[in-house]
Amino acid sequence: MSAWMDKVEQQTRLAGHNRVAMLLFRMGDEQLFGINVFKVREVMRRPPMERMPDAHPLVAGSCDYRGTTIPVIDLAVALGYPSLRDVASAHLMVTEFNRSVQGFLVAEPQRLVHCEGESLAAPSAALGFGSRVNAVTRVDGALVAVVDVEHVLATLNTTTAELSAPMQRIARVHDLQPRRVMVVDDSLVARNQLVNLFRQMDVECVIAQDGREALERLEALADAPGEESVTLVVSDIEMPRMDGYALTRAIRETASLRSLKVVLHSSISGIFNEAMVREVNADRFVAKFQPDLLAQTVLELMPERFEEF
């Protein structure tokens, strides 16, 4: 499996140009699933696991990963398949996103592919994938369902992320009304988190589910009255149709939009994202999900800076 991961750099050189590199895998039938390769640290044979009493039904147990104990989530169960907990041929996909490391059990890893962001689309309800698949595409003619692993992880942690009391006080003093923020994210969980955060700041949100929808709405609102206009965009990076990098580029290349402040907000952190933020001329990058840091970033980027007290 390590040979596959050695190809990641080669496969992802096109990142930032509305292309997505994915690791494909199966769950026991012919259906292909995919996950953004930037979220994957390593793929290995299922290691020995310890059972965890009173754990969530999706948690198969825990295991030692390079000297650290990590939770192991049965992705097969999350997607409606029979459990892989006791299947010797199962594989562990070790992931890192949302500032945490966890493993996902999958049946059969396949290969790395890259595809155009335009080819990714929201899945029809008729396909029956449910809310844990947030995009579909075709690779060599085969249907690929992109798993919303953030949604799966959020299922295990139902704690609502709240702004701290001091940050709420600062937001009230700053008084951001009637300015509006556009939230762009293909994950329902992430959108709800952001809307809840901005509600605590008394800021109205305009919602878009991907970069293409966001760009169309921003262009439509460019000449809107002040109370209907958007001041700042908080956008995910990995999205179908148009990703956050391509959206930022488009904003900077559109005369009526280029003055907008743009914060890229992703579950994948690291040097690569920081470099891409500079390349596409976004204003900031904030890793998901740090409510106080994101709120402070938004306050600093609004037209009038807030005064600390």
Side-chain angles (χ1 to χ4, degrees), residues 128-262:
F129 288 122
S131 59
R132 288 170 178 162
V133 166
N134 59 356
V136 293
T137 188
R138 287 196 175 271
V139 173
D140 298 333
L143 180 68
V144 174
V146 183
V147 181
D148 187 350
V149 286
E150 292 178 50
H151 184 291
V152 176
L153 192 61
T155 302
L156 309 179
N157 181 13
T158 57
T159 303
T160 302
E162 301 286 339
L163 285 180
S164 67
M167 185 54 68
Q168 290 189 48
R169 288 197 297 271
I170 291 173
R172 284 196 294 270
V173 169
H174 194 51
D175 190 14
L176 298 178
Q177 294 181 342
R179 286 168 286 187
R180 298 201 296 175
V181 170
M182 175 171 281
V183 169
V184 191
D185 205 302
D186 60 321
S187 170
L188 176 61
V189 169
R191 291 198 304 272
N192 287 342
Q193 286 178 328
L194 290 170
V195 170
N196 179 61
L197 179 146
F198 287 118
R199 184 179 295 117
Q200 294 173 67
M201 297 175 68
D202 293 326
V203 175
E204 183 181 350
C205 293
V206 178
I207 305 297
Q209 297 186 36
D210 59 57
R212 178 56 55 83
E213 181 185 352
L215 185 60
E216 292 171 354
R217 296 201 66 181
L218 288 170
E219 289 174 337
L221 291 169
D223 298 323
E227 66 274 12
E228 297 180 15
S229 63
V230 170
T231 304
L232 180 145
V233 176
V234 177
S235 176
D236 187 22
I237 294 177
E238 310 84 31
M239 297 181 291
R241 298 208 299 169
M242 177 183 282
D243 66 24
Y245 296 133
L247 171 61
T248 306
R249 279 200 176 98
I251 288 173
R252 297 301 181 232
E253 293 170 359
T254 303
S256 61
L257 303 178
R258 63 170 57 110
S259 63
L260 285 174
K261 300 296 184 182
V262 179

Side-chain angles (χ1 to χ4, degrees), residues 17 22 44 50 57 86 90-91 94 100 120 131 192 257 266 279:
H17 298 276
M22 290 192 296
M44 63 181 71
E50 297 80 32
D86 298 313
H91 289 74
V94 181
S100 68
L120 293 165
S131 59
N192 287 342
L257 303 178
S266 174
E279 182 175 325

Side-chain angles (χ1 to χ4, degrees), residues 72-98:
V72 176
I73 301 165
D74 198 331
L75 193 54
V77 175
L79 295 173
Y81 289 83
S83 173
L84 293 172
R85 171 65 180 81
D86 298 313
V87 177
S89 61
H91 289 74
L92 184 71
M93 187 166 58
V94 181
T95 65
E96 182 175 10
F97 59 92
N98 281 5

Side-chain angles (χ1 to χ4, degrees), residues 26-33 81 142-143:
R26 297 187 192 275
M27 282 301 187
D29 60 11
E30 294 304 309
Q31 178 59 56
L32 280 171
F33 293 92
Y81 289 83
L143 180 68

